[in-house]
Amino acid sequence: MHLFDDVPILNKSALFELLSQRFDTQEKTLSQIPNPNLLHDASRAAKKIAAAIRENKKITLVGDYDVDGVSATAIMVDFFRQIPYPLQTIIPNRFSDGYGVSPNVLKRVDADIVITVDNGITAIEATEICKERGIELIITDHHTPLETLPEAYAIVNPKLSRCSYPFEEICGAQVAWLLLGLVKKELSLDIDMKGFLDILCIAVIADIMPLTDINRAIVKEGLKILMHSKRPSSIIIRDFLNKSSITSEDIAFAIAPRINSAGRLEDASIALEFLTAKTTNEAYTQFEKLNSLNELRRTTEAQTTNEAFELVNEEETIIVVAKEGWHEGVVGIVASRLVDHFSKPAIVLSIKNGVAKGSARSIGNINIYELIKQNSSLLTKFGGHKMAAGLSLEDKNIDLFKAALNKSASKLSPADFLSLEKVMGILPSDEIDFGLLELLESFEPYGEANSRPLFLIKDAQVVEIKYFGKDKSHTKVLLKQFAHERKPIELILFKKILEMPSEKKLTCSYGVTKNEFNSRVSVQLIINKIYNY
């Protein structure tokens, strides 16, 4: 295999050097988070909110139904409770309201001020309605703005060209949290802003923000706070994970999908009630609902993924699939599955009443938002960022859009499609121990822009393959990396049956994680990708 001819053999000190190179500046601390005043309009927005509170005006918050939007809403709810001050909250229903502060949502609003979190940057129509009704609109968002901005009282978004905030890759919940820091100052409140970090870190991780700069500091501190917080939802999360320490990957793979499942399949208010529960009993009840919805989401997603695979045209540069009746709440996850399998950006659309609504996911260096924007004349609505976007169009325009999108993508370089996940090197078996685990843990949290290191096993001798789990759906592989090694190493492949390769040789990438079971801790090697199978 020529693919891995130049992969180095690593020891722990070489690995430490490589991981250190990921961070070109000294690690940030919470005290180095830039002043929220640097966010354009943040000071203006904070003064308006503080004045509204002093004057006893009606304030309505409009959130979003994903983890970031629900978390941002939960932080706002908790903050206003601590003042205390009444806050009406609305999280739009994906199916009946659509996205964000829509005209449909505004029908339910009776307020002097409307604040958005994690939405609003494209809400042109909503601003017109607010003007007519004498409502002052404050938009807080982090999505990419269009050329025309809504005419709101204030727009707080780090991606505005006129914004001087030095780090723009922050999520919607962070924007809301930073604004609340200014509101606290305006009203001279005794509220600990660190107390929200257990929720905020979940939003940063779930919204796939780069875990560098201030995001890294927030997630690191937030995960620590999550381990000790008396917030009922945090207590339930700790009990559910049952680990001595919680990692960003625990949040990404076990908690975020559950919080997301409410907005995907039913109503995000269930997730909001979980995060803002006043007692552990309330939190537990809502978490059980989230668990059930997550199971339903898995079943629905698996069925839709199978159907989507059958519709893929592998000749296309950008995959676009659409079908009547697909559940709108799982199309984003299905798009991710297609990206993983075909190593191409994918758009999955659900058709209903002549309208196709869906989600896009990208790979490597391809900016899916820009590609969609170039062909937005065929769309009725779109929004998002480099790696993910949402869109809607009339179903009669799907083929035209698909052709136009692929024409735009024809100019892309093949290198742009390469996944940014790369193997770091080959670890001799005697380097795989608790010392390695400690080294890897020192560079956590892992996630976007700081991916968990992957290592290579190349042409290794497979000694034995076993299957485990309730339905024997997971695989345990015992192998020898090098002929001189006496003891085989063990790798795990979850949710997949691996049969013995014909040559009894295996080349794969894997990650190293801590496995905690029945109070026993062990080093676990999890297969990421198989290359010669």
Side-chain angles (χ1 to χ4, degrees):
M1 290 180 77
H2 304 296
L3 184 61
F4 299 115
D5 282 351
D6 58 347
V7 175
I9 291 177
L10 297 175
N11 58 23
K12 290 188 193 75
S13 59
L15 176 60
F16 177 83
E17 289 302 319
L18 286 171
L19 289 171
S20 300
Q21 287 166 23
R22 289 183 172 185
F23 307 101
D24 51 2
T25 55
Q26 199 174 4
E27 197 161 307
K28 290 270 199 311
T29 61
L30 289 181
S31 63
Q32 291 171 294
I33 291 173
N35 192 325
N37 274 315
L38 295 171
L39 282 164
H40 179 79
D41 269 0
S43 182
R44 176 176 164 86
K47 283 178 165 59
K48 175 58 72 175
I49 294 166
I53 289 167
R54 287 192 200 101
E55 293 159 25
N56 216 25
K57 289 187 172 179
K58 289 181 187 172
I59 303 173
T60 294
L61 182 77
V62 179
D64 185 27
Y65 38 67
D66 70 355
V67 179
D68 187 18
V70 173
S71 300
T73 307
I75 289 168
M76 281 274 189
V77 168
D78 189 4
F79 183 90
F80 274 77
R81 267 186 196 163
Q82 290 184 55
I83 294 175
Y85 193 84
L87 177 73
Q88 183 197 13
T89 56
I90 298 174
I91 295 190
N93 182 287
R94 181 191 292 267
F95 312 105
S96 56
D97 296 321
Y99 170 73
V101 58
S102 64
N104 205 18
V105 165
L106 286 172
K107 288 175 192 170
R108 307 206 296 275
V109 170
D110 173 25
D112 302 302
I113 288 182
V114 168
I115 306 167
T116 75
V117 288
D118 194 34
N119 76 90
I121 199 65
T122 58
I124 309 290
E125 199 180 347
T127 51
E128 296 304 315
I129 294 167
C130 286
K131 260 192 205 167
E132 286 166 20
R133 291 180 52 193
I135 297 169
E136 289 182 296
L137 178 64
I138 292 170
I139 291 169
T140 79
D141 203 350
H142 73 121
H143 293 100
T144 307
L146 301 174
E147 276 78 15
T148 307
L149 291 171
E151 288 184 38
Y153 177 83
I155 300 176
V156 187
N157 184 331
K159 290 196 177 73
L160 288 176
S161 58
R162 56 180 182 255
C163 184
S164 56
Y165 197 73
F167 187 69
E168 69 171 42
E169 289 302 320
I170 58 176
C171 68
Q174 281 167 282
V175 179
W177 179 71
L178 289 166
L179 174 61
L180 289 175
L182 294 177
V183 174
K184 171 194 167 174
K185 205 172 175 185
E186 286 291 328
L187 294 170
S188 303
L189 297 167
D190 184 23
I191 293 176
D192 180 10
M193 297 309 291
K194 268 181 78 173
F196 303 105
L197 293 185
D198 54 337
I199 295 180
L200 186 58
C201 75
I202 292 171
V204 176
I205 295 162
D207 221 48
I208 318 175
M209 292 294 106
L211 294 188
T212 56
D213 207 273
I214 60 170
N215 289 350
R216 187 167 167 77
I218 284 169
V219 169
K220 238 180 170 177
E221 192 62 33
L223 290 172
K224 283 182 200 165
I225 289 169
L226 186 55
M227 285 304 297
H228 306 289
S229 171
K230 290 178 182 171
R231 189 187 306 279
S233 59
S234 294
I235 292 168
I236 298 299
I237 288 170
R238 284 201 298 274
D239 287 352
F240 174 73
L241 292 172
N242 192 27
K243 295 180 74 179
S244 57
S245 62
I246 294 172
T247 69
S248 52
E249 290 143 313
D250 293 326
I251 300 299
F253 299 115
I255 302 305
R258 284 169 168 80
I259 295 172
N260 242 335
S261 65
R264 287 188 188 282
L265 298 189
E266 201 168 302
D267 195 289
S269 60
I270 299 165
L272 179 63
E273 284 164 20
F274 166 64
L275 289 175
T276 58
K278 291 178 179 175
T279 67
T280 48
N281 278 347
E282 279 176 41
Y284 180 76
T285 302
Q286 298 310 118
F287 194 70
E288 284 299 288
K289 288 180 189 173
L290 294 177
N291 267 329
S292 300
L293 285 169
N294 194 47
E295 284 306 312
L296 179 59
R297 187 268 306 167
R298 280 180 176 162
T299 308
T300 311
E301 175 209 319
Q303 185 183 333
T304 309
T305 301
N306 290 337
E307 292 174 11
F309 266 72
E310 289 171 16
L311 297 175
V312 170
N313 176 358
E314 292 192 48
E315 301 300 309
E316 290 173 350
T317 309
I318 310 288
I319 293 165
V320 181
V321 291
K323 191 173 178 181
E324 188 99 31
W326 277 345
H327 199 297
E328 200 185 308
V330 300
V331 291
I333 309 171
V334 174
S336 295
R337 299 281 179 265
L338 296 180
V339 172
D340 289 344
H341 186 83
F342 295 100
S343 299
K344 296 175 182 182
I347 296 175
V348 179
L349 301 162
S350 166
I351 304 168
K352 187 180 178 183
N353 300 328
V355 176
K357 286 162 100 176
S359 292
R361 295 290 184 270
S362 196
I363 192 171
N365 270 321
I366 297 167
N367 189 328
I368 194 68
Y369 174 82
E370 281 302 323
L371 284 171
I372 290 169
K373 187 180 171 186
Q374 286 167 29
N375 301 286
S376 59
S377 59
L378 293 162
L379 306 176
T380 52
K381 210 172 181 183
F382 77 102
H385 45 81
K386 181 182 175 182
M387 299 307 287
L391 64 158
S392 59
L393 68 162
E394 292 178 33
D395 67 346
K396 65 182 182 186
N397 288 331
I398 292 172
D399 289 339
L400 283 171
F401 176 68
K402 188 191 291 193
L405 195 69
N406 275 282
K407 189 177 177 186
S408 299
S410 64
K411 300 165 193 154
L412 295 168
S413 157
D416 291 335
F417 289 81
L418 295 175
S419 171
L420 300 179
E421 254 187 5
K422 291 176 183 166
V423 294
M424 300 201 75
I426 295 169
L427 284 172
S429 303
D430 57 6
E431 291 284 338
I432 303 170
D433 54 17
F434 284 105
L436 173 67
L437 209 52
E438 280 175 28
L439 167 60
L440 293 173
E441 282 178 350
S442 70
F443 286 92
E444 287 187 355
Y446 292 115
E448 184 68 15
N450 182 36
S451 56
R452 179 169 283 280
L454 292 175
F455 304 101
L456 183 72
I457 280 180
K458 184 179 171 187
D459 292 330
Q461 180 73 40
V462 179
V463 177
E464 188 182 1
I465 288 180
K466 300 174 183 175
Y467 307 114
F468 67 100
K470 254 192 293 189
D471 48 1
K472 304 287 183 198
S473 59
H474 311 301
T475 305
K476 193 178 283 183
V477 185
L478 292 171
L479 50 77
K480 286 186 180 178
Q481 283 200 89
F482 305 106
H484 67 269
E485 292 177 339
R486 283 182 295 176
K487 195 179 172 189
I489 58 172
E490 179 183 288
L491 288 96
I492 303 292
L493 182 62
F494 286 115
K495 295 178 185 173
K496 198 168 179 183
I497 295 291
L498 178 67
E499 293 173 1
M500 181 69 77
S502 54
E503 302 293 316
K504 290 196 173 182
K505 292 283 176 103
L506 186 69
T507 297
C508 68
S509 61
Y510 68 94
V512 180
T513 62
K514 181 198 282 185
N515 182 38
E516 293 184 55
F517 187 69
N518 286 343
S519 303
R520 286 183 61 193
V521 178
S522 60
V523 181
Q524 191 171 59
L525 312 184
I526 299 178
I527 293 176
N528 178 66
K529 190 170 183 179
I530 293 171
Y531 292 97
N532 69 336
Y533 192 74

